Amino acid sequence: MAEEKEDIILYMTTISSNLDVKKKCAKIDVIMASTTSTHNLIKKDVAVPGGLAAMRENLKDPKALPPQFYSDKFGHLGGYDLFENAVEDGKLLDFLKKEYTFEG
């Protein structure tokens, strides 16, 4: 019997005047698409009306900006910098389970 996949929410945006944010969201897409995982990636665009406020409320951070990762099971997993460090350290699955901390 197949193991049920854990849902991971990626708060991202498709509309931004900030090229850096667009690049980060695109890089996450590429990495997550090429990774065999036990997780379902659910993308939520914060550009939709109320999207940014909903993300900030869910993360309990009034200043949070996309991209951000969230799990109903573990809560806020982190943003792009922590994700990138986990990828570089070969610890992406640990990051997705909130078991990764960057010691840099």
Side-chain angles (χ1 to χ4, degrees):
M1 186 170 187
E3 187 176 321
E4 190 170 322
K5 292 184 175 189
E6 181 75 31
D7 290 340
I8 300 293
I9 297 170
L10 169 60
Y11 290 105
M12 44 84 67
T13 186
T14 55
I15 302 171
S16 176
S17 60
N18 186 329
L19 185 59
D20 189 46
V21 170
K22 288 179 183 178
K23 286 181 179 180
K24 288 177 178 179
C25 290
K27 185 173 181 179
I28 290 169
D29 269 343
V30 169
I31 290 170
M32 293 300 290
S34 66
T35 302
T36 303
S37 176
T38 57
H39 299 81
N40 291 318
L41 186 65
I42 301 168
K43 298 177 194 173
K44 292 196 176 182
D45 193 342
V46 300
V48 301
L52 184 61
M55 175 193 76
R56 289 176 171 171
E57 182 178 325
N58 212 11
L59 300 180
K60 297 174 180 48
D61 182 350
K63 295 181 181 180
L65 295 172
Q68 296 289 330
F69 290 86
Y70 180 83
S71 161
D72 286 335
K73 185 175 182 180
F74 300 111
H76 185 206
L77 301 174
Y80 178 79
D81 291 337
L82 191 59
F83 169 80
E84 185 175 48
N85 288 327
V87 170
E88 288 177 7
D89 289 346
K91 303 282 186 180
L92 178 58
L93 293 179
D94 291 342
F95 170 80
L96 296 175
K97 293 185 241 172
K98 203 168 184 171
E99 296 174 356
Y100 175 80
T101 52
F102 181 62
E103 302 293 330

